[in-house]
Amino acid sequence: MKFLIACGFYGLQPALWIGIIRSYLIHTNRLKKERGIFNSAIYDDFYEGRHFVRMGLIFGILASVVLGGFLSISLEWLIIYEGLLLVSLTLIPWWLLSITVAGIASVLTLSVPTIAEFKPITHWFHGLGINSTTVAPLNVLILFVVIILTTAVFVNINGGRFDSPTLVRNQRNNKTAVYKFNELTIFPFFLFVPGDWLHTSLPMMPLFQVNNHFYAMLLVPILIGLKFTVRRSVPRTLLKVMSHSIYLLAGVGVGLAIVGYFVPQLILPAIIVLLLGYYLILWLAKHRDGQQSFEYSEVMDGVRVIGIQPETSAAKMDLKVGDVILEVNGIPVTDEDAFYRALSTNSTYCRFKVRDRNDQLKITESAIFKNSPHEIGVKTYTQLSH
C-alpha cells in the first residue's frame, strides 16, 4: 500500500509531466523540420516517446531493485535537484543538462556544511521547516555515478538510430546536412529521504522508522538525456564511441566511490572530477567529429543521400546517409530529374551504382514498392522543397 502511494505521488510530480511534454515537443519539431525540408517526414513514428517510456521503465526498475532499498538521499539534495531539473526542462529547451543538473545538485549539497554561514540558504530551508539531515556523502556520489551510467546506456542504445537531417551552411557557405541526437527520459528511482518533513507536510506519504530515525519512501524523477550534433562522422558510430567513453567514466566513478568509502574527504572532489570528465568526453567527441574530412554536402557528379525512409525500397538496399548515387539502372544521374527519369526506365526494379563516404564504389539493387519510383524512400538534396 505504501509503495502504491509513493507511485501515485510520483505521477503527480511536475518534472515528469514537463519531461513528457518536452519529449513530445522534440518529436513535433523534428516532424516540422523534416516536412519543411522534404515535404514529407522521414520518420513519422513517435520514437522519442517510445524511448522515453521504455528506457524510463527499464532504468527505474533496475536502479530501484539494485540500489533502491539501500540508498538514501537528503531532502536538501532532492529540493536542489528538482529545482534545477524544472529549470533545465522549461527555461533551457535547447539543451538537456541531465548530468550537469545532478552534478551541481551534488556539489551544492555536499558544500552546505562549508557554507553554513551563507544565510539565504539556511534561512530558506529553515523557513520551509527543514533542518539539515545527516546522509552519508557517499550516497550522493553513488547516485551521481548511477546517472552517468544510465546516460551511457541511453546513448549507446538510442544514439544515431534515426538519422534525421538538418540543413546548415558550412564555412564555404555551401549547404550541408547535420544530424542531431536529441532525446530524453525520466525514470523513477526508489529512494529513502531521512526526516519527517515530507510526512508532516504531506501526511499521505509513507514513513518508516529505523533505529529512531524517520525515512520517507519516494520515487524520485531522474532525468537522462543528451542533445548532440554530428556534422561529419557516421552518427551511430560517433555516439557509440561517446557512450563507451561515458561507460569508462562511470567505471572511474565506481573506483572513486570505493576510495571515498575509506576517505570521505575525497567524495566532493570526485564528483567535480567526474563532471569535468563528462564535459571532456563531449568536447573530444565534437573535436573528433570536426577532424573528419567528410561532409554531408551537395555534389556535382551524383545525388547525395541525406535521408532514408524506413520500410521502403531504399531501406532494404545497402544505402547509408552520405552515399552518393552515381548511376541508376546504368544511367548517370546528377540531379533529381535525371534520378527519377532513370528510375522510370524500370517500373518494378532499380539498380544503383553508389560511392560511399570512403570513396568506395558499390552496386545495390531492389524491387520498387507499388510500381512507383517516387516511393523508393531516398531523400536527397535535389528533393528539397522551395
Side-chain angles (χ1 to χ4, degrees), residues 215-254:
Y215 293 87
M217 182 177 69
L218 286 181
L219 287 174
V220 178
I222 301 296
L223 171 68
I224 300 297
L226 175 69
K227 180 176 181 181
F228 190 87
T229 300
V230 181
R231 299 180 178 275
R232 297 168 179 262
S233 306
V234 178
R236 182 65 171 159
T237 301
L238 182 67
L239 291 168
K240 276 276 191 181
V241 172
M242 181 194 296
S243 71
H244 294 162
S245 298
I246 302 175
Y247 278 128
L248 180 60
L249 183 67
V252 172
V254 172

Side-chain angles (χ1 to χ4, degrees), residues 68-113:
F70 308 96
L71 204 60
S72 62
I73 201 69
S74 69
L75 189 58
E76 291 88 344
W77 183 92
L78 182 62
I79 291 175
I80 295 172
Y81 177 75
E82 293 220 23
L84 292 174
L85 181 59
L86 290 173
V87 170
S88 68
L89 286 172
T90 55
L91 300 183
I92 316 178
W94 46 269
W95 185 249
L96 292 174
L97 302 172
S98 58
I99 290 182
T100 302
V101 167
I104 292 176
S106 301
V107 170
L108 289 177
T109 301
L110 296 180
S111 300
V112 166

Side-chain angles (χ1 to χ4, degrees), residues 130-281:
I130 302 171
N131 296 315
S132 181
T133 53
T134 302
V135 171
L138 183 62
N139 289 0
V140 178
L141 176 55
I142 293 173
L143 180 56
F144 189 46
V145 173
V146 169
I147 292 173
I148 292 174
L149 178 60
T150 50
T151 298
V153 176
F154 187 81
V155 175
N156 184 60
I157 292 177
N158 301 313
R161 288 183 57 195
F162 298 88
D163 297 322
S164 176
T166 297
L167 298 186
V168 298
R169 295 282 180 177
N170 60 16
Q171 294 180 346
R172 299 183 299 276
N173 202 37
N174 294 329
K175 195 179 297 180
T176 183
V178 299
Y179 298 87
K180 294 182 179 181
F181 175 65
N182 185 14
E183 292 190 42
L184 76 155
T185 188
I186 293 179
F187 72 89
F189 199 172
F190 172 53
L191 297 170
F192 290 108
V193 179
D196 60 356
W197 181 85
L198 282 168
H199 182 73
T200 302
S201 304
L202 301 168
M204 78 289 296
M205 291 304 300
L207 193 68
F208 295 89
Q209 185 176 2
V210 180
N211 296 327
N212 295 321
H213 294 285
F214 290 100
Y215 293 87
M217 182 177 69
L218 286 181
L219 287 174
V220 178
I222 301 296
L223 171 68
I224 300 297
L226 175 69
K227 180 176 181 181
F228 190 87
T229 300
V230 181
R231 299 180 178 275
R232 297 168 179 262
S233 306
V234 178
R236 182 65 171 159
T237 301
L238 182 67
L239 291 168
K240 276 276 191 181
V241 172
M242 181 194 296
S243 71
H244 294 162
S245 298
I246 302 175
Y247 278 128
L248 180 60
L249 183 67
V252 172
V254 172
L256 291 174
I258 295 173
V259 174
Y261 177 80
F262 298 99
V263 188
Q265 295 83 357
L266 295 180
I267 291 177
L268 178 57
I271 291 175
I272 296 174
V273 167
L274 292 175
L275 185 59
L276 294 177
Y278 173 69
Y279 281 107
L280 177 62
I281 290 171

